[in-house]
Amino acid sequence: MADEQKLFKVKIDNITVEVAPGTTILNAARLIGGDVVPPAMCYYSKLEGSGGKCRTCLVKVTKGSEADPRPMPKLVASCRTTVMDGMEVANITSPEVVDARKSIVEFLLINHPLDCPVCDQAGECHLQDLSYEHGVSATRYEFKRRTFDKVDLGDKIKLHMTRCILCYRCVFTADQLTEKREHGILGRGDHSEISTYIEKNLDNDFIGNVIDVCPVGALTDKTFRFKNRVWFLKPMDAHRNCENPKCCGKTVLWMRGDEVFRVTARKDQYGEVEAYICDTCRFEKKEASDWVIEGPRKIDRHSVISQGHYVGTVKPEETIVKVMDGRAPKLLMDIHSVSEVNRPEIDLSKIEGPAHSDDFKTNGVQHQQ
Amino acid sequence: MGRKLLLDKAHIPGIRYYDTYRGNGGYAAAEKALKGMTPDQVLDEVKKSGLRGRGGAGFPTGMKWSFIAKPEGVPRYLVCNADESEPGTFKDRYLMEFIPHILIEGLIISSYTLGANTCYIYIRGEYAWIPEILEEAIADAKKNGWLGKNIQGSGFDLEIYVQRGAGAYICGEETALIESLEGKRGNPRIKPPFPAVKGLWQSPTVVNNVETLAAVVPILNIGGEEYAKIGIGKSTGTKLISACGNINKPGVYEIEMNISVEEFIYSEEYCGGIPNGKRLKACIPGGSSVPILPANLLFKTAKGDTRMMTYESLSDGGFATGTMMGSGGFIVLDEDQCVVKNTLTFARFYRHESCGQCSPCREGTGWMEKVLKNIETGKGKMSDIDLLWDIQRKIEGNTICPLGDAAAWPVAAAIRHFRDEFEWHITHPEEAQVRNFGLAHYADPLPVAAVPA
């Protein structure tokens, strides 16, 4: 029998957890969960070498270890710093960390517009969440922001560099997941930008995953772009027998009625995909019949996507018949039959965007089917 | 006349060439090490000497060398950091250009001590003519049996390669240098792991500055203990200082670290004073990244002691009333110089040289430059000074590598010591545009107590 591995005791925001040696502070915090988990914009556990760049996950190590209790002199990136036995870490309990994180948000928002109302990533943007939790309503930056034209990276992916926060995740994804890498970071400093090698497109079996790993709305799916808001869609777990051996075939279908609006990989609570999917599953299988639908995906109730998305609800017991001694209620008037509002012949799922009163107008223009 | 250990032969005609260097006692230290000492004995001498890294950080060299991991069957590397790019610093250039063999000799001894059989000199791209000088010196050393297989019959093998950088300041940071040397974009790595454990090609690597490695030669020649007697306290030995700015005799000087700052600026042996009898306003003693110090704090520490040209004395008082030795890029500003413009120039440099990996440095350096430009051109607001202070505070300590700190410190020190000059730019926008300063009062030493913490 192998020797039992010694676990390291780490205290994060006064909560103790035991983890295997080599675990990062961030992953130790994820074992605890809740508010003690530092945010991460560039770290992605599935991508080797990621993390340490955005600096949103900075924490204060107040005690280095049992053997060397000295605190670390600077804040450290929790995603790249491994724990030591007896280490004590302050995350939300450290005003210094909270202040630093607020600063990072301010820096990130210099060149990332908070145009959530028009951004296709709204509702599932990590920076939106981060700025909501740590940002301020006004910026002190008074200079012209850098802007870029939108670029088509092939026929399926659109790059809007204006929103890019240079987290490097897509670069790592292309580097580690696909057989050829044709994009990367050009320039340096505040002139850095994601771009492709001259005139090249992102064209690879797995390149669609760059959309999933992008924490903001810089890389978007052209087959879904502006078709719908995510909170109007119902995410359903689904799978298919994908012929690509590297693809797990397990996805989330974002549906409205029977219509599949987009297909994504399944993500965990930290927004990281559980397993990558191929481009065929993502872009080409847009019929419900292509998939075996498993059921509604569990969505965190705090997420905007949970809007109108109920799982495991219990219908209240019908009591009218009981209180009327078994008699059925008498319908005096069917409002639907006399009202002109209800138009059963209109298929709501065919309407692009949320339904509007114009869609039900009887005189003049009808909605577009 | 101060003692010279690195530049003692600099005056000899033809010292750049092997025969002259060898004929004047060159390679004696390498001979001593390879033929009569074990690597541990050499390391011991370096430790005894108290040599501190001359690239800027000032970390004890012997201790750094002792950190190197020694796994079986894994090669070790020595990398000479010749990417001297800090504005105001040009002392390594002098060594490499005029006495290249002292560096080669230092590399042989250091590689032998570390057990490294391959050594790289990573040289700044802008030093376009120096790689040829180094390559010629390497070829001559090899021809005479100081490089290659079984050096001088010692059983030690060493090859030295010169690698030209593409001209990026960030590649002077040791992990960015390693990335660049591996053929990748010169972005700093996140530490740990440190290069001593996983450096070049994931092998244990030591990265040292040119002057540090060259200093190993006199240490072996005179012995570690003798070397440690030069200087004061933990600032042992001699230090190359590249002096520039408003001084009569700009150039590279080798000083014993036991002279005062005042002597260095005003003595005929070194800088020779300020041109045209003008008064001293401020000094940046360690290259552009170290805090600027006003004249009133430059000659005396806050405690009233004489400020010496040592690591400890220059940093006495912390950043409130002190500065740093840094790389020894000594920049002097006379009474006519504009601190705001000077700070803007540095800010522009750091903005341009930021690698862009981490958010505070990428975004913060650009923001600071823009705010400074507004102030410098008379378009600033009073609140901009506090904003600037806040931005630098948020960059410092929050970045992957020290470039963020290097960008923040000059701004912080300029505001700390010359806040009224910033205010003057804002309240006198038109005069600021035509540079009619009327700020000569800054040359008069202010009472120490007037300096805000």
Side-chain angles (χ1 to χ4, degrees), chain A residues 51 53-55 74 103 111 140-142 165 185 187-189 191, chain B residues 185 190 351-354 357-359 363 370 381 390 394 398 405:
Chain A
K53 294 175 176 60
C54 69
R55 318 303 283 174
K74 291 179 179 179
S103 313
N111 282 312
R140 296 179 295 171
Y141 189 84
E142 295 176 339
I165 58 163
I185 309 279
R188 65 184 177 201
H191 293 292
Chain B
R185 184 185 160 99
I190 292 155
R351 191 268 301 160
H352 184 259
E353 296 296 341
S354 167
Q357 262 195 118
C358 61
S359 336
E363 307 294 350
K370 289 185 179 102
K381 305 186 289 284
D390 202 42
K394 288 173 172 179
N398 290 339
D405 299 340

PDB file of all heavy atoms in Angstrom, chain A residues 51 53-55 74 103 111 140-142 165 185 187-189 191, chain B residues 185 190 351-354 357-359 363 370 381 390 394 398 405:
ATOM      1  N   GLY A  51      -2.759  31.990 -16.305  1.00  0.00           N
ATOM      2  CA  GLY A  51      -2.819  32.593 -14.971  1.00  0.00           C
ATOM      3  C   GLY A  51      -1.657  33.510 -14.671  1.00  0.00           C
ATOM      4  O   GLY A  51      -0.619  33.470 -15.328  1.00  0.00           O
ATOM      5  N   LYS A  53      -1.570  36.733 -14.986  1.00  0.00           N
ATOM      6  CA  LYS A  53      -1.438  37.933 -15.817  1.00  0.00           C
ATOM      7  C   LYS A  53      -2.418  39.042 -15.457  1.00  0.00           C
ATOM      8  O   LYS A  53      -2.051  40.200 -15.380  1.00  0.00           O
ATOM      9  CB  LYS A  53      -1.616  37.548 -17.287  1.00  0.00           C
ATOM     10  CG  LYS A  53      -0.496  36.648 -17.776  1.00  0.00           C
ATOM     11  CD  LYS A  53      -0.729  36.171 -19.185  1.00  0.00           C
ATOM     12  CE  LYS A  53       0.440  35.354 -19.678  1.00  0.00           C
ATOM     13  NZ  LYS A  53       0.695  34.147 -18.869  1.00  0.00           N
ATOM     14  N   CYS A  54      -3.669  38.674 -15.230  1.00  0.00           N
ATOM     15  CA  CYS A  54      -4.660  39.733 -15.034  1.00  0.00           C
ATOM     16  C   CYS A  54      -4.526  40.378 -13.649  1.00  0.00           C
ATOM     17  O   CYS A  54      -4.902  41.519 -13.472  1.00  0.00           O
ATOM     18  CB  CYS A  54      -6.064  39.192 -15.230  1.00  0.00           C
ATOM     19  SG  CYS A  54      -6.598  38.039 -13.957  1.00  0.00           S
ATOM     20  N   ARG A  55      -4.006  39.632 -12.700  1.00  0.00           N
ATOM     21  CA  ARG A  55      -3.762  40.079 -11.325  1.00  0.00           C
ATOM     22  C   ARG A  55      -5.056  40.298 -10.529  1.00  0.00           C
ATOM     23  O   ARG A  55      -5.024  40.931  -9.480  1.00  0.00           O
ATOM     24  CB  ARG A  55      -2.909  41.362 -11.259  1.00  0.00           C
ATOM     25  CG  ARG A  55      -1.747  41.417 -12.207  1.00  0.00           C
ATOM     26  CD  ARG A  55      -0.782  40.293 -12.062  1.00  0.00           C
ATOM     27  NE  ARG A  55       0.110  40.407 -10.933  1.00  0.00           N
ATOM     28  CZ  ARG A  55       0.979  39.460 -10.557  1.00  0.00           C
ATOM     29  NH1 ARG A  55       1.057  38.337 -11.241  1.00  0.00           N
ATOM     30  NH2 ARG A  55       1.766  39.628  -9.517  1.00  0.00           N
ATOM     31  N   LYS A  74       4.767  40.996  -0.759  1.00  0.00           N
ATOM     32  CA  LYS A  74       3.816  41.599  -1.710  1.00  0.00           C
ATOM     33  C   LYS A  74       2.589  40.707  -1.839  1.00  0.00           C
ATOM     34  O   LYS A  74       2.622  39.541  -1.455  1.00  0.00           O
ATOM     35  CB  LYS A  74       4.467  41.688  -3.096  1.00  0.00           C
ATOM     36  CG  LYS A  74       5.589  42.686  -3.214  1.00  0.00           C
ATOM     37  CD  LYS A  74       6.124  42.628  -4.631  1.00  0.00           C
ATOM     38  CE  LYS A  74       7.244  43.630  -4.842  1.00  0.00           C
ATOM     39  NZ  LYS A  74       7.776  43.564  -6.211  1.00  0.00           N
ATOM     40  N   SER A 103      -8.478  48.276  -7.924  1.00  0.00           N
ATOM     41  CA  SER A 103      -7.566  48.955  -8.848  1.00  0.00           C
ATOM     42  C   SER A 103      -7.455  48.191 -10.157  1.00  0.00           C
ATOM     43  O   SER A 103      -7.457  48.779 -11.239  1.00  0.00           O
ATOM     44  CB  SER A 103      -6.158  49.042  -8.251  1.00  0.00           C
ATOM     45  OG  SER A 103      -6.198  49.476  -6.946  1.00  0.00           O
ATOM     46  N   ASN A 111      -9.699  50.086 -21.079  1.00  0.00           N
ATOM     47  CA  ASN A 111      -9.874  49.772 -22.488  1.00  0.00           C
ATOM     48  C   ASN A 111     -10.890  48.672 -22.740  1.00  0.00           C
ATOM     49  O   ASN A 111     -10.845  47.989 -23.755  1.00  0.00           O
ATOM     50  CB  ASN A 111      -8.524  49.413 -23.119  1.00  0.00           C
ATOM     51  CG  ASN A 111      -7.715  50.664 -23.392  1.00  0.00           C
ATOM     52  OD1 ASN A 111      -8.216  51.625 -23.959  1.00  0.00           O
ATOM     53  ND2 ASN A 111      -6.472  50.679 -22.950  1.00  0.00           N
ATOM     54  N   ARG A 140     -11.992  57.351 -13.646  1.00  0.00           N
ATOM     55  CA  ARG A 140     -11.175  58.565 -13.589  1.00  0.00           C
ATOM     56  C   ARG A 140     -10.364  58.737 -14.862  1.00  0.00           C
ATOM     57  O   ARG A 140      -9.608  59.674 -14.999  1.00  0.00           O
ATOM     58  CB  ARG A 140     -10.235  58.483 -12.367  1.00  0.00           C
ATOM     59  CG  ARG A 140     -11.007  58.465 -11.056  1.00  0.00           C
ATOM     60  CD  ARG A 140     -10.072  58.348  -9.883  1.00  0.00           C
ATOM     61  NE  ARG A 140      -9.361  57.085  -9.882  1.00  0.00           N
ATOM     62  CZ  ARG A 140      -8.354  56.787  -9.065  1.00  0.00           C
ATOM     63  NH1 ARG A 140      -7.939  57.674  -8.190  1.00  0.00           N
ATOM     64  NH2 ARG A 140      -7.755  55.617  -9.109  1.00  0.00           N
ATOM     65  N   TYR A 141     -10.524  57.809 -15.762  1.00  0.00           N
ATOM     66  CA  TYR A 141      -9.751  57.859 -17.007  1.00  0.00           C
ATOM     67  C   TYR A 141     -10.455  58.790 -17.989  1.00  0.00           C
ATOM     68  O   TYR A 141     -11.610  58.562 -18.340  1.00  0.00           O
ATOM     69  CB  TYR A 141      -9.642  56.449 -17.582  1.00  0.00           C
ATOM     70  CG  TYR A 141      -8.690  56.325 -18.736  1.00  0.00           C
ATOM     71  CD1 TYR A 141      -7.322  56.152 -18.520  1.00  0.00           C
ATOM     72  CD2 TYR A 141      -9.134  56.349 -20.053  1.00  0.00           C
ATOM     73  CE1 TYR A 141      -6.441  56.024 -19.574  1.00  0.00           C
ATOM     74  CE2 TYR A 141      -8.267  56.220 -21.111  1.00  0.00           C
ATOM     75  CZ  TYR A 141      -6.915  56.052 -20.866  1.00  0.00           C
ATOM     76  OH  TYR A 141      -6.044  55.928 -21.912  1.00  0.00           O
ATOM     77  N   GLU A 142      -9.759  59.826 -18.406  1.00  0.00           N
ATOM     78  CA  GLU A 142     -10.423  60.850 -19.232  1.00  0.00           C
ATOM     79  C   GLU A 142      -9.915  60.869 -20.668  1.00  0.00           C
ATOM     80  O   GLU A 142     -10.221  61.796 -21.413  1.00  0.00           O
ATOM     81  CB  GLU A 142     -10.182  62.226 -18.603  1.00  0.00           C
ATOM     82  CG  GLU A 142     -10.818  62.394 -17.242  1.00  0.00           C
ATOM     83  CD  GLU A 142     -10.470  63.731 -16.613  1.00  0.00           C
ATOM     84  OE1 GLU A 142      -9.470  64.336 -17.021  1.00  0.00           O
ATOM     85  OE2 GLU A 142     -11.209  64.150 -15.708  1.00  0.00           O
ATOM     86  N   ILE A 165      -9.255  41.883 -23.049  1.00  0.00           N
ATOM     87  CA  ILE A 165      -8.480  42.272 -21.869  1.00  0.00           C
ATOM     88  C   ILE A 165      -7.135  41.541 -21.838  1.00  0.00           C
ATOM     89  O   ILE A 165      -6.467  41.497 -20.808  1.00  0.00           O
ATOM     90  CB  ILE A 165      -9.254  42.042 -20.559  1.00  0.00           C
ATOM     91  CG1 ILE A 165      -9.657  40.576 -20.435  1.00  0.00           C
ATOM     92  CG2 ILE A 165     -10.465  42.960 -20.471  1.00  0.00           C
ATOM     93  CD1 ILE A 165     -10.056  40.181 -19.030  1.00  0.00           C
ATOM     94  N   ILE A 185      -0.392  37.333 -29.595  1.00  0.00           N
ATOM     95  CA  ILE A 185      -0.363  38.733 -29.173  1.00  0.00           C
ATOM     96  C   ILE A 185       0.647  39.480 -30.026  1.00  0.00           C
ATOM     97  O   ILE A 185       1.806  39.083 -30.112  1.00  0.00           O
ATOM     98  CB  ILE A 185       0.059  38.855 -27.693  1.00  0.00           C
ATOM     99  CG1 ILE A 185      -0.777  37.936 -26.802  1.00  0.00           C
ATOM    100  CG2 ILE A 185       0.015  40.301 -27.226  1.00  0.00           C
ATOM    101  CD1 ILE A 185      -2.121  38.438 -26.419  1.00  0.00           C
ATOM    102  N   GLY A 187       2.478  43.292 -30.787  1.00  0.00           N
ATOM    103  CA  GLY A 187       2.767  44.544 -30.087  1.00  0.00           C
ATOM    104  C   GLY A 187       3.020  44.292 -28.619  1.00  0.00           C
ATOM    105  O   GLY A 187       2.965  43.168 -28.135  1.00  0.00           O
ATOM    106  N   ARG A 188       3.298  45.353 -27.903  1.00  0.00           N
ATOM    107  CA  ARG A 188       3.536  45.185 -26.472  1.00  0.00           C
ATOM    108  C   ARG A 188       2.923  46.359 -25.704  1.00  0.00           C
ATOM    109  O   ARG A 188       2.491  47.342 -26.298  1.00  0.00           O
ATOM    110  CB  ARG A 188       5.022  45.048 -26.173  1.00  0.00           C
ATOM    111  CG  ARG A 188       5.830  46.279 -26.484  1.00  0.00           C
ATOM    112  CD  ARG A 188       7.314  46.021 -26.252  1.00  0.00           C
ATOM    113  NE  ARG A 188       8.091  47.188 -26.611  1.00  0.00           N
ATOM    114  CZ  ARG A 188       9.380  47.160 -26.893  1.00  0.00           C
ATOM    115  NH1 ARG A 188      10.037  46.039 -26.875  1.00  0.00           N
ATOM    116  NH2 ARG A 188      10.016  48.261 -27.192  1.00  0.00           N
ATOM    117  N   GLY A 189       2.930  46.232 -24.392  1.00  0.00           N
ATOM    118  CA  GLY A 189       2.359  47.277 -23.554  1.00  0.00           C
ATOM    119  C   GLY A 189       0.905  47.516 -23.900  1.00  0.00           C
ATOM    120  O   GLY A 189       0.170  46.597 -24.244  1.00  0.00           O
ATOM    121  N   HIS A 191      -0.236  48.702 -26.408  1.00  0.00           N
ATOM    122  CA  HIS A 191      -0.495  48.518 -27.840  1.00  0.00           C
ATOM    123  C   HIS A 191      -0.695  47.045 -28.189  1.00  0.00           C
ATOM    124  O   HIS A 191      -0.880  46.709 -29.353  1.00  0.00           O
ATOM    125  CB  HIS A 191       0.660  49.069 -28.668  1.00  0.00           C
ATOM    126  CG  HIS A 191       0.787  50.560 -28.579  1.00  0.00           C
ATOM    127  ND1 HIS A 191      -0.151  51.403 -29.121  1.00  0.00           N
ATOM    128  CD2 HIS A 191       1.704  51.346 -27.992  1.00  0.00           C
ATOM    129  CE1 HIS A 191       0.208  52.649 -28.859  1.00  0.00           C
ATOM    130  NE2 HIS A 191       1.320  52.641 -28.181  1.00  0.00           N
TER     131      HIS A 191
ATOM    132  N   ARG B 185       8.775  35.101 -27.361  1.00  0.00           N
ATOM    133  CA  ARG B 185       8.526  36.501 -27.037  1.00  0.00           C
ATOM    134  C   ARG B 185       9.077  36.787 -25.637  1.00  0.00           C
ATOM    135  O   ARG B 185       8.859  35.994 -24.714  1.00  0.00           O
ATOM    136  CB  ARG B 185       7.013  36.718 -27.082  1.00  0.00           C
ATOM    137  CG  ARG B 185       6.540  38.113 -26.880  1.00  0.00           C
ATOM    138  CD  ARG B 185       5.010  38.068 -26.839  1.00  0.00           C
ATOM    139  NE  ARG B 185       4.496  39.253 -26.191  1.00  0.00           N
ATOM    140  CZ  ARG B 185       4.020  40.314 -26.827  1.00  0.00           C
ATOM    141  NH1 ARG B 185       3.959  40.318 -28.129  1.00  0.00           N
ATOM    142  NH2 ARG B 185       3.584  41.349 -26.160  1.00  0.00           N
ATOM    143  N   ILE B 190       6.363  33.915 -14.530  1.00  0.00           N
ATOM    144  CA  ILE B 190       5.894  34.099 -13.155  1.00  0.00           C
ATOM    145  C   ILE B 190       6.765  33.228 -12.246  1.00  0.00           C
ATOM    146  O   ILE B 190       6.981  32.055 -12.527  1.00  0.00           O
ATOM    147  CB  ILE B 190       4.405  33.743 -13.054  1.00  0.00           C
ATOM    148  CG1 ILE B 190       3.610  34.789 -13.824  1.00  0.00           C
ATOM    149  CG2 ILE B 190       3.948  33.684 -11.608  1.00  0.00           C
ATOM    150  CD1 ILE B 190       2.290  34.335 -14.317  1.00  0.00           C
ATOM    151  N   ARG B 351       6.159  53.060 -20.464  1.00  0.00           N
ATOM    152  CA  ARG B 351       4.937  52.704 -21.188  1.00  0.00           C
ATOM    153  C   ARG B 351       5.294  51.953 -22.472  1.00  0.00           C
ATOM    154  O   ARG B 351       4.703  50.936 -22.818  1.00  0.00           O
ATOM    155  CB  ARG B 351       4.137  53.973 -21.509  1.00  0.00           C
ATOM    156  CG  ARG B 351       2.737  53.726 -22.024  1.00  0.00           C
ATOM    157  CD  ARG B 351       2.635  53.642 -23.522  1.00  0.00           C
ATOM    158  NE  ARG B 351       3.097  54.864 -24.163  1.00  0.00           N
ATOM    159  CZ  ARG B 351       3.477  54.929 -25.421  1.00  0.00           C
ATOM    160  NH1 ARG B 351       3.454  53.864 -26.183  1.00  0.00           N
ATOM    161  NH2 ARG B 351       3.901  56.062 -25.944  1.00  0.00           N
ATOM    162  N   HIS B 352       6.304  52.461 -23.144  1.00  0.00           N
ATOM    163  CA  HIS B 352       6.700  51.852 -24.408  1.00  0.00           C
ATOM    164  C   HIS B 352       7.307  50.472 -24.208  1.00  0.00           C
ATOM    165  O   HIS B 352       7.170  49.590 -25.054  1.00  0.00           O
ATOM    166  CB  HIS B 352       7.712  52.769 -25.106  1.00  0.00           C
ATOM    167  CG  HIS B 352       8.104  52.287 -26.464  1.00  0.00           C
ATOM    168  ND1 HIS B 352       9.281  51.633 -26.708  1.00  0.00           N
ATOM    169  CD2 HIS B 352       7.461  52.338 -27.645  1.00  0.00           C
ATOM    170  CE1 HIS B 352       9.349  51.304 -27.987  1.00  0.00           C
ATOM    171  NE2 HIS B 352       8.260  51.721 -28.579  1.00  0.00           N
ATOM    172  N   GLU B 353       7.974  50.270 -23.078  1.00  0.00           N
ATOM    173  CA  GLU B 353       8.708  49.025 -22.868  1.00  0.00           C
ATOM    174  C   GLU B 353       7.935  47.975 -22.070  1.00  0.00           C
ATOM    175  O   GLU B 353       8.418  46.862 -21.903  1.00  0.00           O
ATOM    176  CB  GLU B 353      10.042  49.319 -22.179  1.00  0.00           C
ATOM    177  CG  GLU B 353      10.997  50.173 -23.004  1.00  0.00           C
ATOM    178  CD  GLU B 353      11.461  49.500 -24.290  1.00  0.00           C
ATOM    179  OE1 GLU B 353      11.359  48.261 -24.403  1.00  0.00           O
ATOM    180  OE2 GLU B 353      11.912  50.211 -25.206  1.00  0.00           O
ATOM    181  N   SER B 354       6.763  48.341 -21.554  1.00  0.00           N
ATOM    182  CA  SER B 354       5.969  47.354 -20.825  1.00  0.00           C
ATOM    183  C   SER B 354       5.622  46.207 -21.769  1.00  0.00           C
ATOM    184  O   SER B 354       5.230  46.430 -22.911  1.00  0.00           O
ATOM    185  CB  SER B 354       4.680  48.010 -20.318  1.00  0.00           C
ATOM    186  OG  SER B 354       3.778  47.017 -19.890  1.00  0.00           O
ATOM    187  N   GLN B 357       1.828  42.057 -20.491  1.00  0.00           N
ATOM    188  CA  GLN B 357       1.224  40.826 -19.970  1.00  0.00           C
ATOM    189  C   GLN B 357       0.228  41.104 -18.854  1.00  0.00           C
ATOM    190  O   GLN B 357      -0.869  40.579 -18.854  1.00  0.00           O
ATOM    191  CB  GLN B 357       2.315  39.910 -19.416  1.00  0.00           C
ATOM    192  CG  GLN B 357       2.768  38.827 -20.347  1.00  0.00           C
ATOM    193  CD  GLN B 357       3.552  37.770 -19.593  1.00  0.00           C
ATOM    194  OE1 GLN B 357       3.158  36.634 -19.545  1.00  0.00           O
ATOM    195  NE2 GLN B 357       4.666  38.140 -19.003  1.00  0.00           N
ATOM    196  N   CYS B 358       0.632  41.879 -17.875  1.00  0.00           N
ATOM    197  CA  CYS B 358      -0.258  42.054 -16.724  1.00  0.00           C
ATOM    198  C   CYS B 358      -0.947  43.423 -16.750  1.00  0.00           C
ATOM    199  O   CYS B 358      -0.368  44.422 -17.178  1.00  0.00           O
ATOM    200  CB  CYS B 358       0.471  41.802 -15.408  1.00  0.00           C
ATOM    201  SG  CYS B 358       1.852  42.868 -15.066  1.00  0.00           S
ATOM    202  N   SER B 359      -2.177  43.406 -16.289  1.00  0.00           N
ATOM    203  CA  SER B 359      -3.038  44.586 -16.435  1.00  0.00           C
ATOM    204  C   SER B 359      -2.509  45.858 -15.773  1.00  0.00           C
ATOM    205  O   SER B 359      -2.556  46.923 -16.393  1.00  0.00           O
ATOM    206  CB  SER B 359      -4.435  44.300 -15.892  1.00  0.00           C
ATOM    207  OG  SER B 359      -4.723  42.953 -15.901  1.00  0.00           O
ATOM    208  N   GLU B 363      -1.827  48.814 -18.515  1.00  0.00           N
ATOM    209  CA  GLU B 363      -2.763  49.937 -18.560  1.00  0.00           C
ATOM    210  C   GLU B 363      -2.256  51.131 -17.743  1.00  0.00           C
ATOM    211  O   GLU B 363      -2.448  52.273 -18.119  1.00  0.00           O
ATOM    212  CB  GLU B 363      -4.141  49.515 -18.038  1.00  0.00           C
ATOM    213  CG  GLU B 363      -4.736  48.285 -18.715  1.00  0.00           C
ATOM    214  CD  GLU B 363      -5.062  48.493 -20.179  1.00  0.00           C
ATOM    215  OE1 GLU B 363      -5.012  49.647 -20.666  1.00  0.00           O
ATOM    216  OE2 GLU B 363      -5.366  47.489 -20.858  1.00  0.00           O
ATOM    217  N   LYS B 370      -0.057  59.640 -19.969  1.00  0.00           N
ATOM    218  CA  LYS B 370      -1.040  60.596 -20.486  1.00  0.00           C
ATOM    219  C   LYS B 370      -1.301  61.721 -19.490  1.00  0.00           C
ATOM    220  O   LYS B 370      -1.387  62.895 -19.860  1.00  0.00           O
ATOM    221  CB  LYS B 370      -2.339  59.874 -20.833  1.00  0.00           C
ATOM    222  CG  LYS B 370      -2.224  58.984 -22.067  1.00  0.00           C
ATOM    223  CD  LYS B 370      -3.565  58.393 -22.440  1.00  0.00           C
ATOM    224  CE  LYS B 370      -3.442  57.533 -23.682  1.00  0.00           C
ATOM    225  NZ  LYS B 370      -3.425  56.108 -23.408  1.00  0.00           N
ATOM    226  N   LYS B 381      -4.872  69.320 -14.305  1.00  0.00           N
ATOM    227  CA  LYS B 381      -5.689  69.852 -13.210  1.00  0.00           C
ATOM    228  C   LYS B 381      -4.984  69.497 -11.902  1.00  0.00           C
ATOM    229  O   LYS B 381      -4.195  68.555 -11.857  1.00  0.00           O
ATOM    230  CB  LYS B 381      -7.080  69.190 -13.208  1.00  0.00           C
ATOM    231  CG  LYS B 381      -7.849  69.297 -14.509  1.00  0.00           C
ATOM    232  CD  LYS B 381      -9.253  68.755 -14.353  1.00  0.00           C
ATOM    233  CE  LYS B 381      -9.310  67.262 -14.196  1.00  0.00           C
ATOM    234  NZ  LYS B 381      -9.107  66.494 -15.419  1.00  0.00           N
ATOM    235  N   ASP B 390      -2.022  58.048  -7.110  1.00  0.00           N
ATOM    236  CA  ASP B 390      -2.834  56.858  -6.896  1.00  0.00           C
ATOM    237  C   ASP B 390      -2.544  55.782  -7.940  1.00  0.00           C
ATOM    238  O   ASP B 390      -2.466  54.594  -7.608  1.00  0.00           O
ATOM    239  CB  ASP B 390      -4.321  57.256  -6.950  1.00  0.00           C
ATOM    240  CG  ASP B 390      -5.185  56.245  -6.237  1.00  0.00           C
ATOM    241  OD1 ASP B 390      -4.774  55.787  -5.151  1.00  0.00           O
ATOM    242  OD2 ASP B 390      -6.229  55.870  -6.776  1.00  0.00           O
ATOM    243  N   LYS B 394      -0.998  51.967  -7.301  1.00  0.00           N
ATOM    244  CA  LYS B 394      -1.723  50.758  -7.667  1.00  0.00           C
ATOM    245  C   LYS B 394      -0.936  49.858  -8.621  1.00  0.00           C
ATOM    246  O   LYS B 394      -1.291  48.706  -8.806  1.00  0.00           O
ATOM    247  CB  LYS B 394      -3.075  51.142  -8.263  1.00  0.00           C
ATOM    248  CG  LYS B 394      -4.007  51.651  -7.179  1.00  0.00           C
ATOM    249  CD  LYS B 394      -5.276  52.198  -7.690  1.00  0.00           C
ATOM    250  CE  LYS B 394      -6.203  52.483  -6.501  1.00  0.00           C
ATOM    251  NZ  LYS B 394      -7.468  53.053  -6.893  1.00  0.00           N
ATOM    252  N   ASN B 398       2.097  45.148  -7.687  1.00  0.00           N
ATOM    253  CA  ASN B 398       0.998  44.318  -8.180  1.00  0.00           C
ATOM    254  C   ASN B 398       1.277  43.693  -9.539  1.00  0.00           C
ATOM    255  O   ASN B 398       0.374  43.139 -10.160  1.00  0.00           O
ATOM    256  CB  ASN B 398      -0.291  45.143  -8.268  1.00  0.00           C
ATOM    257  CG  ASN B 398      -0.841  45.490  -6.898  1.00  0.00           C
ATOM    258  OD1 ASN B 398      -0.523  44.824  -5.914  1.00  0.00           O
ATOM    259  ND2 ASN B 398      -1.637  46.529  -6.813  1.00  0.00           N
ATOM    260  N   ASP B 405       7.199  48.323 -10.922  1.00  0.00           N
ATOM    261  CA  ASP B 405       7.796  49.134  -9.848  1.00  0.00           C
ATOM    262  C   ASP B 405       8.710  50.205 -10.447  1.00  0.00           C
ATOM    263  O   ASP B 405       8.726  51.353  -9.989  1.00  0.00           O
ATOM    264  CB  ASP B 405       8.625  48.253  -8.906  1.00  0.00           C
ATOM    265  CG  ASP B 405       7.785  47.187  -8.223  1.00  0.00           C
ATOM    266  OD1 ASP B 405       6.555  47.362  -8.181  1.00  0.00           O
ATOM    267  OD2 ASP B 405       8.347  46.195  -7.751  1.00  0.00           O
TER     268      ASP B 405
END
